[in-house]
Amino acid sequence: MNRAVTLHDLIIAGAALIAGIVTGLLCRAVLRWLGKHASRTRWSGDDVIVDSLRSVVPWAAICGGLAAAAAALPLTPTVGRDVNQALTVLLILVVTLTAARMITRLVKSVAQSRSGVAGSATIFANITRIVVLAMGVLVILQTLGISIAPLLTALGVGGLAVALALQDTLANLFAGVHVLASKTVQPGDYIRLSSGEEGYVVDINWRNTVVRQLSNNLVIIPNAQLAGTNMTNFTRPEQQLSILVQVGVGYDSDLEHVEQVTMEVVKSVMTDVSGAIPEHEPAVRFHTFGDSRIGLTVILGVGEFSDQYRIKHEFIKRLHQRYRAEGIRIPAPTRTVALQQPEGMAIPQQRGTSDPVL
């Protein structure tokens, strides 16, 4: 300290500190007002930006007030440099944490808008958060006068050992990035693996994919397994799909009449049942002369995978009722067995069960 602190110095320093605090409070009030207007817009990104600025701007104003207060005091160059360095580190830390949160929320918002409302892919959000925090730590170290070149060299050498030790984890990480980048699977899709697991994709994180079955159970699938197996995606390239229902009628049926009645039932189901596609063109195709019936396939259109169960249920009920009303018979499988008796061989009499005679 070059000279003693006077009352004038304290007044100026206090005024600078109070000015920084007041400025921070005013900025927070203005940003709160902007947040109310941002919530009325369609884009959710402005809400994220305003909310993040509400955290960083008041701290920046307070740090500015502290820096002005320190400059007003007769501090030694060493103390003044240390104070400025500490305030700079504090401001960088606040900005880094705020930027990590803001960018992560923006990434989630973009992922949700592109993938549908069913879920969010947190793998991109987690990678973004780690990258932003790592950059902030490097900037803080550089501000403190710590050379980051040896640190980066050590990380490069140690990264090889870490990669070998965590090869399964890294395989799942890059597999998840590959799956999302290729757009073969997105949160909200209904998938079925060749191993039998199926359900809606809830989330794809850095290690595994979470699938919710129709029974509301969660199936956890490693990303590497998801990327390396045969899979059917019932949502892509479009969510609507066609389902097949097998029906059989007797040989004595009038097939023109059967086709007309079945088409009428299909049209009524497509119009009345929730989840069906009203503009779907009904289709009935006869295809097999069976043992006891003539087989036909009815093609129905559904809006998405889980709708098929409700539509099949309603279609079978209505078709069975209509066939009964029209006199169309759905025969049960029958088989005629002919037995031939060789000449000179008597068919043994079947004896009733009784206790053996001793």
Side-chain angles (χ1 to χ4, degrees), residues 18-38:
I18 293 174
I21 295 175
V22 172
T23 302
L25 295 177
L26 290 176
C27 291
R28 188 174 180 84
V30 172
L31 290 172
R32 186 183 295 111
W33 176 78
L34 289 176
K36 294 180 180 179
H37 288 273

Side-chain angles (χ1 to χ4, degrees), residues 119-324:
S120 63
T122 59
I123 182 172
F124 289 142
N126 292 334
I127 293 176
T128 303
R129 183 185 297 109
I130 293 174
V131 170
V132 174
L133 292 177
M135 293 177 62
V137 170
L138 293 178
V139 173
I140 290 175
L141 293 177
Q142 191 70 29
T143 303
L144 294 175
I146 301 174
S147 178
I148 62 174
L151 178 61
L152 294 177
T153 303
L155 290 176
V157 175
L160 180 60
V162 173
L164 292 176
L166 301 177
Q167 54 182 342
D168 292 337
T169 301
L170 293 177
N172 288 321
L173 173 63
F174 289 112
V177 174
H178 168 71
V179 167
L180 286 174
S182 62
K183 295 184 179 180
T184 56
V185 177
Q186 297 289 326
D189 293 353
Y190 192 96
I191 63 173
R192 176 185 294 162
L193 304 184
S194 58
S195 55
E197 296 88 352
E198 65 177 86
Y200 290 99
V201 177
V202 177
D203 186 24
I204 302 177
N205 55 44
W206 62 274
R207 190 177 186 277
N208 50 51
T209 299
V210 182
V211 175
R212 178 177 58 84
Q213 296 179 320
L214 294 179
S215 59
N216 254 354
N217 297 323
L218 296 181
V219 179
I220 311 300
I221 305 171
N223 292 334
Q225 178 182 345
L226 182 69
T229 188
N230 295 331
M231 174 183 58
T232 303
N233 192 332
F234 292 95
T235 308
R236 298 179 184 276
E238 61 181 12
Q239 194 172 14
Q240 297 180 355
L241 67 153
S242 299
I243 59 174
L244 309 180
V245 180
Q246 304 299 328
V247 185
V249 296
Y251 277 93
D252 56 348
S253 302
D254 182 357
L255 297 187
E256 292 292 339
H257 184 221
V258 170
E259 182 177 4
Q260 178 183 356
V261 170
T262 306
M263 293 277 281
E264 292 175 358
V265 174
V266 172
K267 290 180 180 179
S268 68
V269 170
M270 292 295 97
T271 304
D272 301 338
V273 181
S274 174
I277 305 175
E279 61 273 13
H280 173 74
E281 184 68 23
V284 177
R285 298 292 182 266
F286 295 97
H287 56 78
T288 304
F289 287 102
D291 293 338
S292 58
R293 64 181 68 190
I294 297 177
L296 62 144
T297 299
V298 182
I299 303 176
L300 305 173
V302 299
E304 63 103 10
F305 185 85
S306 63
D307 292 332
Q308 63 176 304
Y309 302 104
R310 179 174 60 255
I311 293 172
K312 282 183 179 180
H313 166 79
E314 192 64 31
F315 171 73
I316 291 174
K317 285 199 312 180
R318 294 189 183 189
L319 186 66
H320 181 262
Q321 182 181 7
R322 185 68 184 277
Y323 276 6
R324 292 184 63 181

